[in-house]
Amino acid sequence: QVQLVESGGGLVQAGGSLRLSCAASGIIFRVYAMGWYRQAPGKQRELVAVITSGDSTNYADSVKGRFTISRDNAKNTVYLQMNSLKPEDTAVYYCNALRAKLNYWGQGTQVTVSS
């Protein structure tokens, strides 16, 4: 059974930092591209950052220079370091694992940034 379990969300003031973690089980983690998505109220889910199995990364323009995605294949975990947070970063953040037609999601973790 595949599980992606996010943690690290919470309430933070604007300008602050949070580190999200996503622990994966039930998959061969190292061969999956791992991503972080977010969904704000009334908006569509959007890609925040992705890291491939070869450690290439890509970011949404809105988070470039502020967020960093990384992975630890020994721990089957992907991270999202979020710095200089803004109120518009408020959303539920979801972890995603993708390989070919295999696509898995976590349950999400709430990030709220107060002004």
Side-chain angles (χ1 to χ4, degrees):
Q1 182 181 359
V2 177
Q3 282 192 312
L4 301 177
V5 180
E6 300 100 334
S7 61
L11 174 63
V12 64
Q13 287 189 335
S17 298
L18 283 175
R19 189 195 196 202
L20 304 184
S21 300
C22 171
S25 60
I27 60 172
I28 303 174
F29 180 80
R30 59 182 171 80
V31 304
Y32 278 75
M34 299 299 298
W36 287 97
Y37 289 72
R38 67 187 181 187
Q39 188 167 18
K43 295 187 177 181
Q44 288 189 331
R45 191 173 296 189
E46 63 175 0
L47 175 68
V48 176
V50 63
I51 184 166
T52 68
S53 57
D55 287 340
S56 295
T57 58
N58 195 27
Y59 297 90
D61 287 343
S62 58
V63 307
K64 282 182 181 177
R66 300 188 297 123
F67 291 10
T68 303
I69 190 171
S70 61
R71 65 190 298 159
D72 185 337
N73 290 338
K75 294 183 178 180
N76 287 0
T77 300
V78 61
Y79 304 97
L80 185 68
Q81 178 66 44
M82 306 186 293
N83 299 328
S84 302
L85 282 160
K86 303 176 181 180
E88 51 264 44
D89 295 318
T90 295
V92 178
Y93 283 70
Y94 297 91
C95 177
N96 174 262
L98 178 66
R99 176 173 172 78
K101 294 183 179 180
L102 300 175
N103 192 11
Y104 303 107
W105 293 92
Q107 81 288 350
T109 185
Q110 176 71 45
V111 171
T112 302
V113 184
S114 63
S115 57

